[in-house]
Amino acid sequence: EKGNYRHFMLKEIYEQPVVVAQTLQSYVRPLEGKVALPDIEFDLSEIRRVTIVACGTSYYAGMVAKYWFEQFARVPVDLDVASEFRYRQPVMEEGGLALFISQSGETADTLAALRYAREAGQIIGAVVNVPTSSMAREADLLLPTHAGPEIGVASTKAFTCQLAVLAALATNLARAKGELTAEEEQEIVEHLTEAPAALNAALSFDGEIEKMAPLIAPARDVLYLGRGPDFPMALEGALKLKEISYIHAEGYAAGEMKHGPIALIDDLVPVIVLAPSGPLFEKTVSNMQEVQARGGKIVLISDRKGLDAASHGVMATIEVPAVHPLIAPMVYAVPVQLLAYHVAVTKGTDVDQPRNLAKSVTVE
Ligand code: M6R
């Protein structure tokens, strides 16, 4: 039931603080200051390579996880979309961990990829939202998200719950690999525990995002830029916008702009920039300024400090709370979801049932 919400998508966006908290409850032990996975029958410290495979939004969650696993646990990660992975005859060394991410647990290509990896001697991990699904049943290591049923075709709450589980897995892997002290783990646990409040804070800017939707709705093309884990978030923002508003949108790694896409920039192309303050901030802002210098209209998404430093001359800003890098992608998901939602409502499209799309893609 939609309750007081106009669409399932909006309801599901607003459920995120609660369902992320629910999901984290199975993975975080705040009193012990530890992150814990369900009983595992293998030794995480022996994992030499992780392969992550998924489709669509779930693939972008996997792309965020690649940054985390490599940065925090120093484990090499292969990442691919399932439809490519399953046919390109990937080479896999036995004993690796292959991780499949899926809301439905039934996506045909992802399931076929899982079976390929099984044949190739991998340990099969699955991050799924439907506990009775095929992927859940076939996994050695089941890492459930507890998002509850997701009705809107555009995935929102399942995605942030996937990120929560992957943050927990990254932390576990880092500990197993000797890359994390007990104090550092305790600190991460505190940050993870604060994630639901940070999501609420991000939701509190909904009214402002709604007001700026008419600035984006007339556009024919929109670009999203980000660096590091915010690059996949740029891809996710663009996917959300195209799915439900039918506006052509592309996500780019901010540093790739000058290798081609900057030729598209004029004052008719809004550019959404995701730039949390932190080590990559200055780099992203300088890419943003290159766009500004060519007349591009910027929407800057950042925390207070970032907005204070770089809002000069931008068309609009969206504030999000300042958070730890393991929480940031969850928090940045909220404004890109809300922006896509309000633009679609402004355009009058069918938000919950966009044309040509199915909730679960069970044919290849
Ligand atoms: O059920 P899955 O997570 O495997 O689905 C994967 C994609 O089909 C899905 O994320 C799709 O991209 C969504 N409509 C995005 O909002």
Side-chain angles (χ1 to χ4, degrees):
E1 253 316 295
K2 278 187 293 213
N4 291 329
Y5 292 97
R6 183 159 167 204
H7 297 99
F8 279 108
M9 183 183 177
L10 190 62
K11 173 173 178 263
E12 290 163 359
I13 290 173
Y14 270 85
E15 278 172 2
Q16 291 178 113
V18 170
V19 295
V20 164
Q22 245 164 46
T23 299
L24 284 170
Q25 251 169 35
S26 327
Y27 296 92
V28 175
R29 300 201 190 127
L31 295 179
E32 293 163 48
K34 278 192 157 316
V35 172
L37 297 180
D39 290 338
I40 319 183
E41 282 159 24
F42 58 94
D43 187 354
L44 266 185
S45 71
E46 280 171 16
I47 298 296
R48 290 218 299 272
R49 177 171 290 274
V50 179
T51 303
I52 304 178
V53 182
C55 300
T57 286
S58 297
Y59 170 72
Y60 297 142
M63 199 166 168
V64 171
K66 175 181 165 74
Y67 283 89
W68 287 339
F69 293 177
E70 293 190 333
Q71 190 186 336
F72 296 117
R74 309 301 297 151
V75 177
V77 177
D78 276 337
L79 170 78
D80 211 346
V81 291
S83 55
E84 284 302 310
F85 178 87
R86 65 178 290 197
Y87 293 118
R88 76 175 158 82
Q89 297 176 285
V91 179
M92 308 182 88
E93 201 184 311
E94 281 211 14
L97 174 64
L99 199 59
F100 301 85
I101 308 170
S102 176
Q103 188 285 126
S104 60
E106 299 295 348
T107 300
D109 282 325
T110 311
L111 186 56
L114 182 155
R115 290 173 180 160
Y116 178 97
R118 161 85 65 212
E119 288 297 305
Q122 304 297 294
I123 299 165
I124 307 296
V127 178
V128 292
N129 195 45
V130 179
T132 52
S133 61
S134 308
M135 284 180 224
R137 283 195 312 264
E138 295 189 27
D140 303 312
L141 172 64
L142 174 60
L143 301 169
T145 48
H146 300 290
E150 190 180 63
I151 310 294
V153 164
S155 185
T156 54
K157 62 175 182 170
F159 176 65
T160 38
C161 288
Q162 287 166 351
L163 291 175
V165 170
L166 293 164
L169 180 56
T171 309
N172 253 272
L173 205 54
R175 187 212 303 136
K177 288 288 179 183
E179 297 286 338
L180 200 69
T181 64
E183 295 78 62
E184 286 168 331
E185 181 166 1
Q186 172 126 32
E187 210 180 296
I188 287 175
V189 166
E190 282 161 24
H191 288 294
L192 286 173
T193 314
E194 286 160 13
L199 290 168
N200 264 319
L203 284 166
S204 73
F205 295 97
D206 187 13
E208 285 161 46
I209 298 172
E210 183 174 8
K211 274 187 227 132
M212 76 180 63
L215 296 173
I216 310 293
R220 225 184 60 170
D221 310 284
V222 177
L223 291 181
Y224 287 73
L225 302 182
R227 273 180 187 260
D230 288 291
F231 166 41
M233 298 312 297
L235 296 169
E236 167 61 4
L239 178 61
K240 287 284 96 87
L241 190 71
K242 21 186 177 208
E243 264 190 304
I244 60 169
S245 78
Y246 315 145
I247 295 174
H248 169 241
E250 294 297 332
Y252 263 96
E256 272 291 295
M257 274 304 278
K258 56 166 79 66
H259 299 284
I262 200 158
L264 297 171
I265 299 298
D266 62 22
D267 57 5
L268 297 176
V269 183
V271 180
I272 321 285
V273 179
L274 289 80
S277 56
L280 297 174
F281 180 75
E282 294 296 332
K283 303 258 174 225
T284 308
V285 167
S286 91
N287 301 130
M288 179 184 98
Q289 286 161 347
E290 289 155 12
V291 171
Q292 273 178 303
R294 283 151 187 91
K297 294 271 189 299
I298 309 285
V299 177
L300 175 60
I301 310 182
S302 187
D303 46 72
R304 193 64 264 157
K305 187 171 159 214
L307 294 181
D308 286 344
S311 298
H312 183 71
V314 307
M315 173 172 73
T317 61
I318 302 177
E319 189 177 335
V320 289
V323 289
H324 186 273
L326 273 171
I327 319 294
M330 276 183 250
V331 169
Y332 279 73
V334 171
V336 297
Q337 294 164 349
L338 286 171
L339 188 62
Y341 174 77
H342 290 299
V343 170
V345 170
T346 306
K347 293 194 72 172
T349 53
D350 187 345
V351 170
D352 284 332
Q353 290 285 324
R355 68 187 181 200
N356 309 341
L357 292 173
K359 181 64 188 161
S360 186
V361 183
T362 51
V363 290
E364 68 170 297

